[in-house]
Every structure is written in C-alpha cells, then in structure tokens.
Amino acid sequence: MTTGTPPLPKAELHLHIEGTLEPETVFALARRHDVALPWTDVEALRSAYDFADLQSFLDVYYANMAVLRTRDDFAELASAYLRTCPDQGVEHVEMFFDPQAHTSRGVDIGDVVGGLTDAIEEHSGTVSAGLILCFLRDRPASEAEETLRAAEPYLDRVVGVGLDSAEVGHPPSGFTGVFDRARSLGLKPVAHAGEEGPPAYVREALDDLGVLRVDHGIRAIEDDELVARLARDRTPLTVCPLSNVRLACVPGIGLHPLPEMLAAGLNVSLHSDDPAYFGGYADTTYAASRDGLGLSAEDLRTMAVNSFESSFLDADVIAKHVAAVRAWEA
Ligand code: ADE
Ligand code: ZN
C-alpha cells in the first residue's frame, strides 16, 4: 500500500503459481536447462505481454512453462512467490497449479507437487499455503480424469480442484464426472467461470460441478437472477481486476464491475491471478482497485474479511485472521 502502514492482512485465493514466473526467472531457467525460447531476451519477452484476450495470454504463459523441468524448479518458483507474501500482507495462499501443462512435456507430477510442497514447508513459519490442482478445460475431460488418477498418491498435499485455461467453448458441464470423483476424494471444488464466458457457465459451475467458489465470475453481473442467487448463498467470487483489464475482459479499470458487485451484496474478494504478467501482486491489486475504482478503506477491509472467510482454512483459524483484519488501521 502507498501509505507506509503495514499492509492489510489478506488471503490469496486466486493465484496461478505458474503465473508468478517472472521474465528474469524464465531466462535463468532456460539457461540452466538449455531450453530455446521464442524471445531473444527479457525485454523482448516483456514486450510480448500486450494481450488482446485470454488466449493470447495463455499462449505466452504455456510457452514460458517449458523452462520448469525439475522438482527444484517448482520449489524455487513457489519459494520466490511465498517470499513476497509478508510484504503484501498475504497470510494464507491457496495456489492453483496446472499439472497437465507439465506432464504433457514429460515432467513427473510427483516432481511438480513435491517441489511446490517443499516451498510451502520452507515458508510455513510466515505464510500458510495449500494447493489447488486445476484441470485444463481446453483439453479432453478424459485427460482430466487421468490427471486426477496420477495425482492420487499426492492428494494429502492438495486441498481442492479447479478448472482453468481457455473458457469460451469449454463449459463446466463437460467436467461433471471428474469433479464428482474429486469431491468423493474430499477435494474442494472451485472453477473459473464468467471471466470471458457467459453467466450460464457460472450456473453450470454451481449446478454441475458443485463449486464452493467461482473464480472471476464478473460476467454474472449481466444476469439479475444469478446475482440474486450468488448474493443469497454468499457464494465467494475471487475477482482479479488487473487481470481483467490486461486480458481486455473489461475496457479499463474504471469500468470494472467490482463496485456494482459489492453494491449487489456479492461475496467478493480481490486477487492477483498471474501477477508476473498482469503487473501486481496482492497488495498492489488492492491499491490499484482502490485508486482506479474509488473504493474506500472499508471496502478493502470487507474484501479482506471475505478472502479469509472464503478460504478452506478451519473456522477457528479464519476467526483469528478476521480479527486481525478488523484490528488493522488504514
Ligand atoms: N490460467 C492462468 N491464468 C488464467 C486465467 N486468467 N483464466 C483462465 N485460465 C488461466
Ligand atoms: Zn485465474
């Protein structure tokens, strides 16, 4: 925050760990593993971060992942991210990871989960963290099922499953079977819906996948009946304004529907999605949303409380975090 006071305590619930891969790290790992990249240097890579839509971002995001090869790479990636958390006021993280983007390149899923877990354990004294295994919705559902089976030996380290990647044309209803199986294994279901896709996808995520949180969900605002349902059920929506602007889901920060969502009584919290690509980790996202949308300190506090209450932490732990948010002075 720009005020010089300690940052507002918050939980980060919408963060793709691969989206924290900074350009300098991409090149360092490429040198380590002798991976050829389509960009000559960090500058050229950064200049590719001018996205027209979700797909144009995903093309770069997946290309950069080619440098992540070993358990240590995943540990270093997550460790670098978790190191940023105290300065951003992030006390708890539920981080997404995309196993199919790695196993499809020959990386062992045990190395992916193992490396991420190594980092989580290393930083457990300063930030708590869990993993959410995401299925790529633009790949066949059978591949998602295979991925869940391959992950079974490591599920004690995983709190939930998610659904991400290219949304339009890939509705949640295609993944009913794998989400049923995941829920039966005790995993908490969440899904990206209503980022670029229509409000109907948010309904499907609720009805067909039984999600406990909707990631993004901004297009729900187009459907009054859906808004009333989400408000009544206090369904958490993990909103990422900087991402939505950078991926042209909204035309500018001042036109983001967040104030309307808050006014409608939706259970909204603020998150950073892919901070290495979208220009802001958690506290920067809060500050940019405050400045760009004219939000008050109380709005930010409300969303920070929502972030903990929407987490998969135990109720007594949530209560302690919420008390710290309420005691925070702007
Ligand atoms: N994977 C990483 N970031 C994503 C986003 N914003 N939407 C869908 N899939 C993603
Ligand atoms: Zn996301």
Side-chain angles (χ1 to χ4, degrees):
M1 207 65 75
T2 49
T3 56
T5 54
L8 176 64
K10 57 186 76 67
E12 177 55 276
L13 306 180
H14 188 153
L15 181 282
H16 302 262
I17 195 61
E18 296 93 341
T20 68
L21 186 58
E22 292 286 352
E24 291 75 12
T25 315
V26 172
F27 275 87
L29 289 174
R31 277 191 297 274
R32 179 185 299 173
H33 298 304
D34 203 14
V35 172
L37 291 169
W39 300 280
T40 48
D41 55 26
V42 166
E43 288 288 284
L45 175 55
R46 272 194 203 285
S47 65
Y49 291 5
D50 181 20
F51 308 114
D53 52 20
L54 175 57
Q55 187 61 59
S56 63
F57 155 69
L58 291 170
D59 292 342
V60 179
Y61 171 78
Y62 292 127
N64 281 344
M65 282 185 211
V67 303
L68 294 166
R69 310 195 72 88
T70 67
R71 178 173 179 142
D72 281 352
D73 296 340
F74 287 93
E76 282 175 36
L77 174 72
S79 192
Y81 169 68
L82 291 167
R83 215 173 292 126
T84 68
C85 288
D87 281 350
Q88 298 288 319
V90 173
E91 297 181 345
H92 177 68
V93 189
E94 291 170 8
M95 66 175 79
F96 297 134
F97 69 110
D98 288 326
Q100 288 156 276
H102 311 302
T103 54
S104 61
R105 300 181 289 107
V107 179
D108 190 307
I109 193 167
D111 286 340
V112 179
V113 181
L116 299 177
T117 308
D118 291 343
I120 289 172
E121 281 167 8
E122 183 195 341
H123 292 271
S124 59
T126 49
V127 54
S128 58
L131 297 174
I132 296 181
L133 182 161
C134 286
F135 304 116
L136 301 186
R137 68 198 311 156
D138 49 357
R139 308 282 313 156
S142 58
E143 198 180 295
E145 283 158 19
E146 215 172 280
T147 301
L148 185 56
R149 267 195 302 279
E152 281 194 27
Y154 311 104
L155 289 183
D156 53 326
R157 297 137 183 213
V158 176
V159 291
V161 291
L163 188 66
D164 66 3
S165 205
E167 184 181 12
V168 173
H170 305 287
S173 51
F175 294 85
T176 306
V178 72
F179 270 70
D180 282 350
R181 171 86 186 129
R183 286 199 318 276
S184 77
L185 291 167
L187 298 167
K188 315 271 195 200
V190 302
H192 284 54
E195 179 185 17
E196 281 188 342
Y201 284 18
V202 176
R203 273 215 182 75
E204 283 187 21
L206 297 167
D207 294 335
D208 297 348
L209 307 185
V211 297
L212 301 175
R213 296 197 297 247
V214 174
D215 298 309
H216 294 294
I218 54 171
R219 288 197 58 195
I221 203 72
E222 298 167 21
D223 181 329
D224 291 346
E225 228 176 71
L226 179 59
V227 168
R229 173 183 177 180
L230 293 166
R232 181 198 68 209
D233 295 344
R234 284 207 51 76
T235 306
L237 303 170
T238 63
V239 174
C240 309
L242 296 182
S243 163
N244 299 149
V245 172
R246 293 293 294 273
L247 301 188
C249 299
V250 300
I253 187 75
L255 294 168
H256 195 281
L258 179 62
E260 216 179 327
M261 296 171 86
L262 283 167
L266 294 178
N267 179 2
V268 179
S269 53
L270 275 183
H271 305 285
S272 51
D273 209 5
D274 300 285
Y277 294 89
F278 303 148
Y281 286 77
D283 209 47
T284 317
T285 299
Y286 272 66
S289 304
R290 178 198 58 200
D291 297 345
L293 290 164
L295 301 179
S296 67
E298 279 318 298
D299 291 329
L300 300 191
R301 192 192 305 273
T302 297
M303 291 190 282
V305 168
N306 291 346
S307 74
F308 287 112
E309 290 184 339
S310 303
S311 75
F312 297 135
L313 288 167
D314 291 339
D316 57 329
V317 180
I318 290 175
K320 283 186 196 144
H321 285 293
V322 167
V325 176
R326 296 209 191 283
W328 179 79
E329 285 179 29

PDB file of all heavy atoms in Angstrom, residues 14 16 19 54 57-58 61-62 98 137 163-167 192 195 216 243 247 273-274 278, ligand 1:
ATOM      1  N   HIS A  14      -6.743 -16.732  -5.465  1.00  0.00           N
ATOM      2  CA  HIS A  14      -6.775 -16.868  -6.931  1.00  0.00           C
ATOM      3  C   HIS A  14      -5.420 -16.452  -7.475  1.00  0.00           C
ATOM      4  O   HIS A  14      -5.200 -15.281  -7.827  1.00  0.00           O
ATOM      5  CB  HIS A  14      -7.910 -16.022  -7.516  1.00  0.00           C
ATOM      6  CG  HIS A  14      -8.138 -16.259  -8.980  1.00  0.00           C
ATOM      7  ND1 HIS A  14      -9.355 -16.058  -9.584  1.00  0.00           N
ATOM      8  CD2 HIS A  14      -7.302 -16.677  -9.971  1.00  0.00           C
ATOM      9  CE1 HIS A  14      -9.254 -16.334 -10.876  1.00  0.00           C
ATOM     10  NE2 HIS A  14      -8.000 -16.698 -11.138  1.00  0.00           N
ATOM     11  N   HIS A  16      -2.280 -18.322  -9.808  1.00  0.00           N
ATOM     12  CA  HIS A  16      -1.689 -19.459 -10.528  1.00  0.00           C
ATOM     13  C   HIS A  16      -0.196 -19.394 -10.265  1.00  0.00           C
ATOM     14  O   HIS A  16       0.454 -18.415 -10.649  1.00  0.00           O
ATOM     15  CB  HIS A  16      -1.971 -19.348 -12.022  1.00  0.00           C
ATOM     16  CG  HIS A  16      -3.441 -19.295 -12.350  1.00  0.00           C
ATOM     17  ND1 HIS A  16      -4.147 -20.405 -12.749  1.00  0.00           N
ATOM     18  CD2 HIS A  16      -4.337 -18.273 -12.285  1.00  0.00           C
ATOM     19  CE1 HIS A  16      -5.415 -20.067 -12.947  1.00  0.00           C
ATOM     20  NE2 HIS A  16      -5.558 -18.776 -12.670  1.00  0.00           N
ATOM     21  N   GLY A  19       1.884 -18.453 -12.925  1.00  0.00           N
ATOM     22  CA  GLY A  19       1.711 -17.043 -13.299  1.00  0.00           C
ATOM     23  C   GLY A  19       2.552 -16.104 -12.460  1.00  0.00           C
ATOM     24  O   GLY A  19       2.423 -14.880 -12.566  1.00  0.00           O
ATOM     25  N   LEU A  54      -7.805 -13.569 -23.395  1.00  0.00           N
ATOM     26  CA  LEU A  54      -7.292 -14.672 -22.562  1.00  0.00           C
ATOM     27  C   LEU A  54      -6.371 -15.593 -23.368  1.00  0.00           C
ATOM     28  O   LEU A  54      -5.289 -15.964 -22.901  1.00  0.00           O
ATOM     29  CB  LEU A  54      -8.481 -15.447 -21.971  1.00  0.00           C
ATOM     30  CG  LEU A  54      -8.171 -16.716 -21.173  1.00  0.00           C
ATOM     31  CD1 LEU A  54      -7.220 -16.442 -20.002  1.00  0.00           C
ATOM     32  CD2 LEU A  54      -9.470 -17.358 -20.654  1.00  0.00           C
ATOM     33  N   PHE A  57      -2.815 -14.417 -23.960  1.00  0.00           N
ATOM     34  CA  PHE A  57      -2.016 -14.562 -22.734  1.00  0.00           C
ATOM     35  C   PHE A  57      -1.613 -16.019 -22.529  1.00  0.00           C
ATOM     36  O   PHE A  57      -0.444 -16.328 -22.256  1.00  0.00           O
ATOM     37  CB  PHE A  57      -2.803 -14.049 -21.515  1.00  0.00           C
ATOM     38  CG  PHE A  57      -2.370 -14.677 -20.229  1.00  0.00           C
ATOM     39  CD1 PHE A  57      -1.123 -14.383 -19.685  1.00  0.00           C
ATOM     40  CD2 PHE A  57      -3.179 -15.598 -19.574  1.00  0.00           C
ATOM     41  CE1 PHE A  57      -0.692 -14.995 -18.508  1.00  0.00           C
ATOM     42  CE2 PHE A  57      -2.765 -16.205 -18.401  1.00  0.00           C
ATOM     43  CZ  PHE A  57      -1.515 -15.902 -17.863  1.00  0.00           C
ATOM     44  N   LEU A  58      -2.575 -16.930 -22.672  1.00  0.00           N
ATOM     45  CA  LEU A  58      -2.290 -18.344 -22.409  1.00  0.00           C
ATOM     46  C   LEU A  58      -1.184 -18.862 -23.328  1.00  0.00           C
ATOM     47  O   LEU A  58      -0.360 -19.687 -22.911  1.00  0.00           O
ATOM     48  CB  LEU A  58      -3.571 -19.187 -22.580  1.00  0.00           C
ATOM     49  CG  LEU A  58      -4.660 -18.961 -21.518  1.00  0.00           C
ATOM     50  CD1 LEU A  58      -5.963 -19.660 -21.933  1.00  0.00           C
ATOM     51  CD2 LEU A  58      -4.224 -19.446 -20.132  1.00  0.00           C
ATOM     52  N   TYR A  61       1.973 -17.775 -21.617  1.00  0.00           N
ATOM     53  CA  TYR A  61       2.027 -18.442 -20.298  1.00  0.00           C
ATOM     54  C   TYR A  61       2.491 -19.902 -20.443  1.00  0.00           C
ATOM     55  O   TYR A  61       3.406 -20.350 -19.742  1.00  0.00           O
ATOM     56  CB  TYR A  61       0.617 -18.323 -19.721  1.00  0.00           C
ATOM     57  CG  TYR A  61       0.220 -19.062 -18.481  1.00  0.00           C
ATOM     58  CD1 TYR A  61       0.595 -18.617 -17.221  1.00  0.00           C
ATOM     59  CD2 TYR A  61      -0.649 -20.166 -18.564  1.00  0.00           C
ATOM     60  CE1 TYR A  61       0.141 -19.270 -16.071  1.00  0.00           C
ATOM     61  CE2 TYR A  61      -1.110 -20.812 -17.430  1.00  0.00           C
ATOM     62  CZ  TYR A  61      -0.699 -20.361 -16.185  1.00  0.00           C
ATOM     63  OH  TYR A  61      -1.157 -20.998 -15.058  1.00  0.00           O
ATOM     64  N   TYR A  62       1.890 -20.632 -21.394  1.00  0.00           N
ATOM     65  CA  TYR A  62       2.288 -22.033 -21.581  1.00  0.00           C
ATOM     66  C   TYR A  62       3.685 -22.135 -22.196  1.00  0.00           C
ATOM     67  O   TYR A  62       4.460 -23.033 -21.841  1.00  0.00           O
ATOM     68  CB  TYR A  62       1.257 -22.791 -22.425  1.00  0.00           C
ATOM     69  CG  TYR A  62      -0.080 -22.975 -21.724  1.00  0.00           C
ATOM     70  CD1 TYR A  62      -1.277 -22.583 -22.319  1.00  0.00           C
ATOM     71  CD2 TYR A  62      -0.141 -23.536 -20.445  1.00  0.00           C
ATOM     72  CE1 TYR A  62      -2.502 -22.740 -21.672  1.00  0.00           C
ATOM     73  CE2 TYR A  62      -1.360 -23.693 -19.785  1.00  0.00           C
ATOM     74  CZ  TYR A  62      -2.536 -23.290 -20.405  1.00  0.00           C
ATOM     75  OH  TYR A  62      -3.732 -23.450 -19.754  1.00  0.00           O
ATOM     76  N   ASP A  98      -1.164 -26.179 -12.655  1.00  0.00           N
ATOM     77  CA  ASP A  98      -1.686 -26.787 -13.884  1.00  0.00           C
ATOM     78  C   ASP A  98      -0.874 -28.034 -14.239  1.00  0.00           C
ATOM     79  O   ASP A  98       0.007 -27.987 -15.117  1.00  0.00           O
ATOM     80  CB  ASP A  98      -1.570 -25.790 -15.060  1.00  0.00           C
ATOM     81  CG  ASP A  98      -2.559 -24.634 -14.983  1.00  0.00           C
ATOM     82  OD1 ASP A  98      -3.680 -24.845 -14.490  1.00  0.00           O
ATOM     83  OD2 ASP A  98      -2.201 -23.531 -15.444  1.00  0.00           O
ATOM     84  N   ARG A 137      -9.444 -26.911 -19.155  1.00  0.00           N
ATOM     85  CA  ARG A 137     -10.760 -27.141 -19.754  1.00  0.00           C
ATOM     86  C   ARG A 137     -10.710 -27.212 -21.281  1.00  0.00           C
ATOM     87  O   ARG A 137     -11.691 -27.644 -21.906  1.00  0.00           O
ATOM     88  CB  ARG A 137     -11.722 -26.042 -19.307  1.00  0.00           C
ATOM     89  CG  ARG A 137     -11.360 -24.690 -19.883  1.00  0.00           C
ATOM     90  CD  ARG A 137     -11.996 -23.543 -19.130  1.00  0.00           C
ATOM     91  NE  ARG A 137     -13.408 -23.708 -18.896  1.00  0.00           N
ATOM     92  CZ  ARG A 137     -14.059 -23.086 -17.891  1.00  0.00           C
ATOM     93  NH1 ARG A 137     -13.400 -22.271 -17.077  1.00  0.00           N
ATOM     94  NH2 ARG A 137     -15.342 -23.246 -17.739  1.00  0.00           N
ATOM     95  N   LEU A 163     -10.733 -25.458 -12.343  1.00  0.00           N
ATOM     96  CA  LEU A 163     -10.904 -25.576 -13.795  1.00  0.00           C
ATOM     97  C   LEU A 163     -10.436 -24.264 -14.401  1.00  0.00           C
ATOM     98  O   LEU A 163     -10.950 -23.199 -14.017  1.00  0.00           O
ATOM     99  CB  LEU A 163     -12.390 -25.824 -14.099  1.00  0.00           C
ATOM    100  CG  LEU A 163     -12.773 -26.172 -15.527  1.00  0.00           C
ATOM    101  CD1 LEU A 163     -12.201 -27.536 -15.935  1.00  0.00           C
ATOM    102  CD2 LEU A 163     -14.307 -26.196 -15.666  1.00  0.00           C
ATOM    103  N   ASP A 164      -9.448 -24.338 -15.313  1.00  0.00           N
ATOM    104  CA  ASP A 164      -8.947 -23.081 -15.889  1.00  0.00           C
ATOM    105  C   ASP A 164      -8.580 -23.282 -17.348  1.00  0.00           C
ATOM    106  O   ASP A 164      -8.972 -24.267 -17.957  1.00  0.00           O
ATOM    107  CB  ASP A 164      -7.789 -22.511 -15.036  1.00  0.00           C
ATOM    108  CG  ASP A 164      -6.539 -23.373 -15.040  1.00  0.00           C
ATOM    109  OD1 ASP A 164      -6.516 -24.414 -15.744  1.00  0.00           O
ATOM    110  OD2 ASP A 164      -5.575 -23.021 -14.343  1.00  0.00           O
ATOM    111  N   SER A 165      -7.865 -22.321 -17.918  1.00  0.00           N
ATOM    112  CA  SER A 165      -7.480 -22.247 -19.339  1.00  0.00           C
ATOM    113  C   SER A 165      -8.628 -21.648 -20.170  1.00  0.00           C
ATOM    114  O   SER A 165      -9.559 -21.060 -19.606  1.00  0.00           O
ATOM    115  CB  SER A 165      -7.010 -23.613 -19.857  1.00  0.00           C
ATOM    116  OG  SER A 165      -6.133 -23.416 -20.957  1.00  0.00           O
ATOM    117  N   ALA A 166      -8.556 -21.824 -21.499  1.00  0.00           N
ATOM    118  CA  ALA A 166      -9.460 -21.101 -22.412  1.00  0.00           C
ATOM    119  C   ALA A 166     -10.924 -21.435 -22.111  1.00  0.00           C
ATOM    120  O   ALA A 166     -11.325 -22.599 -22.176  1.00  0.00           O
ATOM    121  CB  ALA A 166      -9.121 -21.472 -23.847  1.00  0.00           C
ATOM    122  N   GLU A 167     -11.720 -20.417 -21.809  1.00  0.00           N
ATOM    123  CA  GLU A 167     -13.062 -20.671 -21.272  1.00  0.00           C
ATOM    124  C   GLU A 167     -14.138 -20.847 -22.351  1.00  0.00           C
ATOM    125  O   GLU A 167     -14.898 -21.816 -22.300  1.00  0.00           O
ATOM    126  CB  GLU A 167     -13.466 -19.520 -20.325  1.00  0.00           C
ATOM    127  CG  GLU A 167     -14.808 -19.784 -19.661  1.00  0.00           C
ATOM    128  CD  GLU A 167     -15.257 -18.668 -18.729  1.00  0.00           C
ATOM    129  OE1 GLU A 167     -14.658 -17.584 -18.744  1.00  0.00           O
ATOM    130  OE2 GLU A 167     -16.237 -18.896 -18.007  1.00  0.00           O
ATOM    131  N   HIS A 192     -12.943 -21.558 -12.628  1.00  0.00           N
ATOM    132  CA  HIS A 192     -13.029 -20.293 -13.358  1.00  0.00           C
ATOM    133  C   HIS A 192     -14.337 -20.316 -14.147  1.00  0.00           C
ATOM    134  O   HIS A 192     -14.618 -21.294 -14.855  1.00  0.00           O
ATOM    135  CB  HIS A 192     -11.876 -20.159 -14.344  1.00  0.00           C
ATOM    136  CG  HIS A 192     -10.548 -19.813 -13.731  1.00  0.00           C
ATOM    137  ND1 HIS A 192      -9.985 -20.541 -12.728  1.00  0.00           N
ATOM    138  CD2 HIS A 192      -9.677 -18.802 -14.009  1.00  0.00           C
ATOM    139  CE1 HIS A 192      -8.817 -19.996 -12.401  1.00  0.00           C
ATOM    140  NE2 HIS A 192      -8.607 -18.934 -13.162  1.00  0.00           N
ATOM    141  N   GLU A 195     -15.400 -15.393 -16.706  1.00  0.00           N
ATOM    142  CA  GLU A 195     -14.270 -14.482 -16.956  1.00  0.00           C
ATOM    143  C   GLU A 195     -14.486 -13.911 -18.362  1.00  0.00           C
ATOM    144  O   GLU A 195     -14.773 -12.732 -18.507  1.00  0.00           O
ATOM    145  CB  GLU A 195     -12.940 -15.253 -16.859  1.00  0.00           C
ATOM    146  CG  GLU A 195     -11.713 -14.397 -17.129  1.00  0.00           C
ATOM    147  CD  GLU A 195     -10.404 -15.215 -17.138  1.00  0.00           C
ATOM    148  OE1 GLU A 195     -10.460 -16.453 -17.247  1.00  0.00           O
ATOM    149  OE2 GLU A 195      -9.327 -14.570 -17.063  1.00  0.00           O
ATOM    150  N   HIS A 216     -13.216 -15.490 -10.777  1.00  0.00           N
ATOM    151  CA  HIS A 216     -13.647 -14.367 -11.636  1.00  0.00           C
ATOM    152  C   HIS A 216     -15.152 -14.134 -11.429  1.00  0.00           C
ATOM    153  O   HIS A 216     -15.519 -13.390 -10.552  1.00  0.00           O
ATOM    154  CB  HIS A 216     -13.303 -14.540 -13.122  1.00  0.00           C
ATOM    155  CG  HIS A 216     -11.829 -14.539 -13.394  1.00  0.00           C
ATOM    156  ND1 HIS A 216     -11.058 -13.412 -13.199  1.00  0.00           N
ATOM    157  CD2 HIS A 216     -10.992 -15.513 -13.833  1.00  0.00           C
ATOM    158  CE1 HIS A 216      -9.791 -13.701 -13.520  1.00  0.00           C
ATOM    159  NE2 HIS A 216      -9.735 -14.972 -13.885  1.00  0.00           N
ATOM    160  N   SER A 243      -6.007  -8.439 -13.914  1.00  0.00           N
ATOM    161  CA  SER A 243      -6.079  -9.464 -14.960  1.00  0.00           C
ATOM    162  C   SER A 243      -7.183  -9.119 -15.951  1.00  0.00           C
ATOM    163  O   SER A 243      -6.987  -9.173 -17.170  1.00  0.00           O
ATOM    164  CB  SER A 243      -6.348 -10.818 -14.307  1.00  0.00           C
ATOM    165  OG  SER A 243      -6.803 -11.759 -15.237  1.00  0.00           O
ATOM    166  N   LEU A 247      -6.405  -8.549 -19.872  1.00  0.00           N
ATOM    167  CA  LEU A 247      -6.908  -9.521 -20.851  1.00  0.00           C
ATOM    168  C   LEU A 247      -8.137  -8.988 -21.594  1.00  0.00           C
ATOM    169  O   LEU A 247      -8.833  -9.747 -22.282  1.00  0.00           O
ATOM    170  CB  LEU A 247      -7.224 -10.856 -20.171  1.00  0.00           C
ATOM    171  CG  LEU A 247      -6.026 -11.505 -19.454  1.00  0.00           C
ATOM    172  CD1 LEU A 247      -6.379 -12.904 -18.971  1.00  0.00           C
ATOM    173  CD2 LEU A 247      -4.790 -11.558 -20.350  1.00  0.00           C
ATOM    174  N   ASP A 273      -4.261 -13.354  -9.686  1.00  0.00           N
ATOM    175  CA  ASP A 273      -4.317 -14.234 -10.868  1.00  0.00           C
ATOM    176  C   ASP A 273      -2.911 -14.652 -11.332  1.00  0.00           C
ATOM    177  O   ASP A 273      -2.428 -15.703 -10.912  1.00  0.00           O
ATOM    178  CB  ASP A 273      -5.109 -13.557 -11.999  1.00  0.00           C
ATOM    179  CG  ASP A 273      -5.810 -14.548 -12.916  1.00  0.00           C
ATOM    180  OD1 ASP A 273      -5.771 -15.750 -12.650  1.00  0.00           O
ATOM    181  OD2 ASP A 273      -6.425 -14.110 -13.913  1.00  0.00           O
ATOM    182  N   ASP A 274      -2.291 -13.840 -12.186  1.00  0.00           N
ATOM    183  CA  ASP A 274      -0.957 -14.167 -12.733  1.00  0.00           C
ATOM    184  C   ASP A 274      -0.073 -12.929 -12.596  1.00  0.00           C
ATOM    185  O   ASP A 274       0.188 -12.229 -13.587  1.00  0.00           O
ATOM    186  CB  ASP A 274      -1.097 -14.566 -14.213  1.00  0.00           C
ATOM    187  CG  ASP A 274      -1.994 -15.778 -14.384  1.00  0.00           C
ATOM    188  OD1 ASP A 274      -1.546 -16.898 -14.083  1.00  0.00           O
ATOM    189  OD2 ASP A 274      -3.163 -15.589 -14.777  1.00  0.00           O
ATOM    190  N   PHE A 278       0.550  -9.519 -15.083  1.00  0.00           N
ATOM    191  CA  PHE A 278      -0.502  -8.503 -15.054  1.00  0.00           C
ATOM    192  C   PHE A 278      -0.153  -7.281 -14.223  1.00  0.00           C
ATOM    193  O   PHE A 278      -0.985  -6.399 -14.011  1.00  0.00           O
ATOM    194  CB  PHE A 278      -1.830  -9.125 -14.552  1.00  0.00           C
ATOM    195  CG  PHE A 278      -2.305 -10.304 -15.369  1.00  0.00           C
ATOM    196  CD1 PHE A 278      -3.011 -11.349 -14.780  1.00  0.00           C
ATOM    197  CD2 PHE A 278      -2.044 -10.366 -16.735  1.00  0.00           C
ATOM    198  CE1 PHE A 278      -3.455 -12.435 -15.535  1.00  0.00           C
ATOM    199  CE2 PHE A 278      -2.479 -11.455 -17.508  1.00  0.00           C
ATOM    200  CZ  PHE A 278      -3.183 -12.490 -16.899  1.00  0.00           C
TER     201      PHE A 278
HETATM  202  N1  ADE B   1      -4.679 -19.823 -16.307  1.00  0.00           N
HETATM  203  C1  ADE B   1      -3.866 -18.882 -15.806  1.00  0.00           C
HETATM  204  N2  ADE B   1      -4.498 -17.710 -15.737  1.00  0.00           N
HETATM  205  C2  ADE B   1      -5.767 -17.921 -16.195  1.00  0.00           C
HETATM  206  C3  ADE B   1      -6.894 -17.104 -16.352  1.00  0.00           C
HETATM  207  N3  ADE B   1      -6.904 -15.806 -16.053  1.00  0.00           N
HETATM  208  N4  ADE B   1      -8.018 -17.668 -16.861  1.00  0.00           N
HETATM  209  C4  ADE B   1      -8.044 -18.964 -17.187  1.00  0.00           C
HETATM  210  N5  ADE B   1      -7.006 -19.776 -17.055  1.00  0.00           N
HETATM  211  C5  ADE B   1      -5.866 -19.264 -16.552  1.00  0.00           C
END
